[in-house]
Each structure stands twice: as structure tokens, then as C-alpha cells.
Amino acid sequence: MRIARYALAGEDPVFGIVELEVDAGQHPDTVAEITGDPLVGPVHYTGQRHHLSDVRLLAPVIPRSKIIGVGRNYAAHAAELGNEVPERPLLFFKPNTSVIGPGDPIVRPADTDDLHYEGELAVVIGRIAKDVPTDRVGEVIFGYTVANDVTARDLQHSEGQWARAKGWDTFCPLGPWIVTHFDLAEAGDQQITTTLDDTVVQDSSTALMVRPIADLVSYISHFTTLLPGDVILTGTPAGVGPMHAGQWVSVEVSGIGELSNPVVDDTPAGDSE
Ligand code: ZN
């Protein structure tokens, strides 16, 4: 299934099941509304159905608890920034307030002159999970979506830790929906592509992760309890680089979909120091 969170003009967000038609045009893509939150409990169809083009897609999950990122999980990306692949996964947090949805603007704060995209596969946790053995990780995953781990590269280098570099509002686009039908093997063998306007800037495969998804989730669950709705960003492949106001950045993971966002500059209201 593909589970989307969306809103019709002037209405509250709801969840729905996306049904993609291969012969788009003849039978347009639709979304069938469901009751409640599929991460929380059983859901039912309400009978309402809309053309996908008529709804505004939102981030498919707003983590109540946490987003955990993994640094340097593709060897070619570690090398391009002059880093070694760490002996253990290098982890960081992004606040849930950094999440935005498809089409929402990524806002460059005035504090950075080097705003980078990082296309990533995101794992959405579905169960309370602690000390999960690698061979049971599949049981705690709700599904997969696409993320852009937006990073102020200059702040990442100049500050001791990455809270500001990766945690600013709008620095975590997620979407377009959550795919629940992948198993770990499928999630770990998808093409991942980032496009800046019309230029492909990252083109890799989730098969090239240094630590595969099962290892990452197991490792993370040994230090912190994972909760339903937590999101794990699995690292970015090579090709990171700057993006500027006026550009559109799109991250696509095959089998899931494409997440596109425009970039804008923060326009300080009144006194800008
Ligand atoms: Zn990243």
C-alpha cells in the first residue's frame, strides 16, 4: 500500500490509500480516504475518493518523537567530503519541527551560504522497539518514504555538532507517501536519484549503503527506544552540493516516488540584526 496524508482546500489533514494507474490519463491516480491514523490503529475506508491531482499532499508522517539521521553511510559520499567511513554508524537527531511536505518550500536561513540537498531513503517505524535483533527489524518497520536531509554545510563544519546545520525549520522534506509493501531486501535495492532543476546530481542505489537498514535500525534501537512514527534517514549517496533560491530539488526512490520542493531565501521581517 501507499499511504498518503493530504488535505483538501480548507479542510483538516486526513490519511488515504493512493492507487496509481499505469494508464494515467485514462484512469487518473486516486486517493481513497481512510479514518484515523494508520500508525496508531486499524483504519477503514470512508468511501470518499479523490483524484490525486485535486489534493494537497502533506508530509506522510509527523514524528511525535524523533528523526534520527545517519552520517556517512555511503562510502563514495564520505570520500567526497574528505571523511572516512566511521567504525560505527554516526548518528544525529533532527527535530520534528524540521518536517515539511511535498511542494513546501525549503527556506534557506540567512545564517548559511552553503545549503545542500541530501537525497535519502527514510524508514518509518511502526512499533515500540528496543534492542531489536537484526533478523527481526522487518517486524518493527511500518514502511518507507523519501527524504531530503537538508544540511547547512558551512554550519556543519564550523559548529561542534549538527543541531543547527541539520535541524532548522523546513530542513526535512518527507514524502510523497509511505510505501508499506517493501520488505527489507526490496528497500535495500532501489535506485535513488536527486535532480536539481533539470540536472541529475545524485544517482545511486540503496544497495550501496555501508550499513544496511537492518543493521542501522538494530544499532539505533540499542541506544534509544523507537516509537511508532519515528523516522530514520539512512544516509545520502555521493553528489551532494548546494541549492539556491529559485531552484527546485527532487529526490526520487524507485518503487516509492518523487519528493519535490522549491528553495527560497528567508526574508527577515523588519530588523535582521
Ligand atoms: Zn544525510
Side-chain angles (χ1 to χ4, degrees):
M1 274 194 306
R2 294 174 178 82
I3 297 180
R5 195 169 144 266
Y6 64 95
L8 293 162
E11 294 187 15
D12 290 335
V14 291
F15 289 91
I17 311 296
V18 174
E19 284 158 26
L20 299 179
E21 303 285 348
V22 284
D23 60 345
Q26 290 272 332
H27 301 90
D29 302 336
T30 60
V31 58
E33 186 182 310
I34 53 178
T35 57
D37 181 343
L39 272 162
V40 172
V43 297
H44 306 280
Y45 286 98
T46 65
Q48 293 282 329
R49 181 183 293 270
H50 303 282
H51 290 172
L52 203 52
S53 55
D54 290 342
V55 305
R56 179 177 167 225
L57 290 174
L58 307 171
V61 56
I62 302 287
R64 293 177 199 79
S65 170
K66 55 198 171 291
I67 301 157
I68 300 165
V70 181
R72 302 169 195 163
N73 198 31
Y74 289 78
H77 166 63
E80 74 180 344
L81 294 182
N83 296 310
E84 302 283 327
V85 169
E87 213 167 288
R88 293 179 178 187
L90 177 62
L91 304 178
F92 58 91
F93 288 112
K94 286 168 93 87
N96 56 7
T97 41
S98 63
V99 171
I100 58 174
D104 291 338
I106 297 165
V107 180
R108 180 187 70 85
D111 297 47
T112 177
D113 292 315
D114 198 19
L115 188 69
H116 279 210
Y117 53 81
E118 293 191 357
E120 308 201 5
L121 173 73
V123 176
V124 181
I125 298 298
R127 293 172 59 177
I128 300 174
K130 177 69 177 157
D131 294 327
V132 186
T134 52
D135 62 353
R136 299 194 62 183
V137 162
E139 298 170 35
V140 307
I141 293 177
F142 178 75
Y144 300 88
T145 189
V146 182
N148 190 340
D149 175 22
V150 176
T151 301
R153 196 69 69 201
D154 45 359
L155 300 186
Q156 186 183 28
H157 291 148
S158 64
E159 300 184 351
Q161 43 77 30
W162 301 353
R164 287 212 310 159
K166 287 178 174 285
W168 227 287
D169 286 358
T170 76
F171 274 25
C172 193
L174 292 176
W177 39 68
I178 299 170
V179 159
T180 61
H181 53 262
F182 273 179
D183 61 20
L184 278 163
E186 287 174 293
D189 191 18
Q190 297 297 327
Q191 191 171 12
I192 179 163
T193 312
T194 305
T195 306
L196 197 58
D197 289 335
D198 294 326
T199 306
V200 174
V201 287
Q202 294 188 287
D203 189 12
S204 186
S205 167
T206 59
L208 294 176
M209 286 184 200
V210 174
R211 271 103 188 175
I213 297 160
D215 289 11
L216 287 177
V217 175
S218 175
Y219 181 80
I220 292 167
S221 78
H222 282 294
F223 99 89
T224 187
T225 301
L226 292 169
L227 300 180
D230 283 354
V231 171
I232 295 171
L233 309 182
T234 56
T236 197
V240 298
M243 52 187 179
H244 301 285
Q247 293 187 302
W248 275 80
V249 59
S250 300
V251 183
E252 182 170 13
V253 175
S254 56
I256 302 179
E258 187 176 48
L259 169 68
S260 296
N261 299 87
V263 182
V264 302
D265 282 339
D266 190 18
T267 46
D271 186 359
S272 59
E273 289 180 281

